[in-house]
Amino acid sequence: MRFLIPLVLAFSALAGMASAGMAAPDDRATAIFAGGCFWCMEPPFDKTEGVISTTSGYIGGTLDNPTYEQVSAGGTGHAEAVKIVYDPSKVRYDELLHLFWRNVDPLRKDAQFCDTGHQYRSAIFYLDDEQKKLAEESKQELEKSGRFSQPVVTEIAKAGPFYPAEKYHQDYYLKNPNRYAFYRWNCGRDQRLEQLWDDEAGEH
């Protein structure tokens, strides 16, 4: 009988989670965005209610299991990106899109802030038709808003394999706060975001 007790307790705990509206693994969803340096794309999403995890990595290229050295050198076709796992009952995909736009420069092609090259492009990598639809609508809405006189060049592409970056890149802003802050300031990221988005810059 004793071996049944843990099973009963585990079942009761799961039932309690469901009744409390807590998300089970099957209720999780994924979004993938590229906005230049992936170190800088993790913080705004990590601070967003409903986001469960962020992972820096590489997507959009032709090489399997690329390294940081290969991607940063250019030529693999990959973009530095962040994969976001979230609870759609707490935050919607269109809300994540809104957050994405206000953390990137959508007017620069193959570059973001001080980083240049195709690997630093801004992009939305959709995982299904609904994400594609919402991404395209959000881009069209931005283009029609009259906010910018230049075209919005952010790419919208179907997601291919996503390769997590090396361990030292994950949560870099938490592990190395001083180096991260200096890089972000030296890159002019926040200054440019304020020029583009005013009070909405860097939202989370």
Side-chain angles (χ1 to χ4, degrees):
M1 288 293 293
R2 280 187 291 179
F3 78 93
L4 289 175
I5 294 175
L7 293 176
V8 172
L9 291 174
F11 179 80
S12 298
L14 288 172
M17 288 173 64
S19 64
M22 296 177 66
D26 288 345
D27 294 325
R28 296 178 181 181
T30 301
I32 303 175
F33 302 129
C37 174
F38 43 32
W39 297 346
C40 299
M41 290 300 287
E42 285 189 1
F45 293 102
D46 280 341
K47 296 173 185 176
T48 300
E49 183 178 0
V51 169
I52 298 165
S53 67
T54 58
T55 303
S56 288
Y58 316 111
I59 191 172
T62 57
L63 183 67
D64 291 340
N65 299 305
T67 65
Y68 176 72
E69 288 72 20
Q70 290 170 323
V71 173
S72 61
T76 70
H78 292 89
E80 287 197 12
V82 62
K83 181 174 74 172
I84 301 147
V85 177
Y86 65 99
D87 179 350
S89 71
K90 295 181 179 178
V91 60
R92 303 187 310 272
Y93 185 72
D94 63 312
E95 293 175 316
L96 296 178
L97 285 169
H98 178 91
L99 180 62
F100 161 76
W101 288 116
R102 282 145 185 84
N103 282 276
V104 301
D105 181 346
L107 310 181
R108 291 198 70 193
K109 184 174 177 61
D110 292 335
Q112 283 291 284
F113 312 101
C114 67
D115 295 312
T116 59
H118 193 54
Q119 65 272 33
Y120 296 112
R121 65 194 183 273
S122 64
I124 300 166
F125 293 94
Y126 60 86
L127 290 104
D128 55 36
D129 290 341
E130 179 64 13
Q131 286 192 355
K132 179 182 180 181
K133 173 178 173 291
L134 291 172
E136 290 176 342
E137 288 176 350
S138 70
K139 184 176 180 179
Q140 291 168 5
E141 181 180 342
L142 189 58
E143 290 171 329
K144 294 177 181 177
S145 69
R147 179 185 286 269
F148 306 122
S149 58
Q150 298 171 254
V152 174
V153 297
T154 296
E155 176 185 343
I156 297 176
K158 184 175 182 179
F162 178 90
Y163 301 99
E166 293 81 351
K167 188 176 181 180
Y168 71 91
H169 285 300
Q170 309 301 333
D171 297 321
Y172 188 88
Y173 74 103
L174 295 174
K175 297 174 184 174
N176 303 278
N178 292 333
R179 289 183 181 180
Y180 169 74
F182 177 75
Y183 162 77
R184 189 175 180 113
W185 174 82
N186 195 50
C187 203
R189 190 176 188 108
D190 292 314
Q191 298 93 312
R192 177 58 175 162
L193 288 176
E194 288 176 7
Q195 289 177 353
L196 292 164
W197 301 105
D198 299 320
D199 293 340
E200 298 176 57
E203 280 189 352
H204 60 76

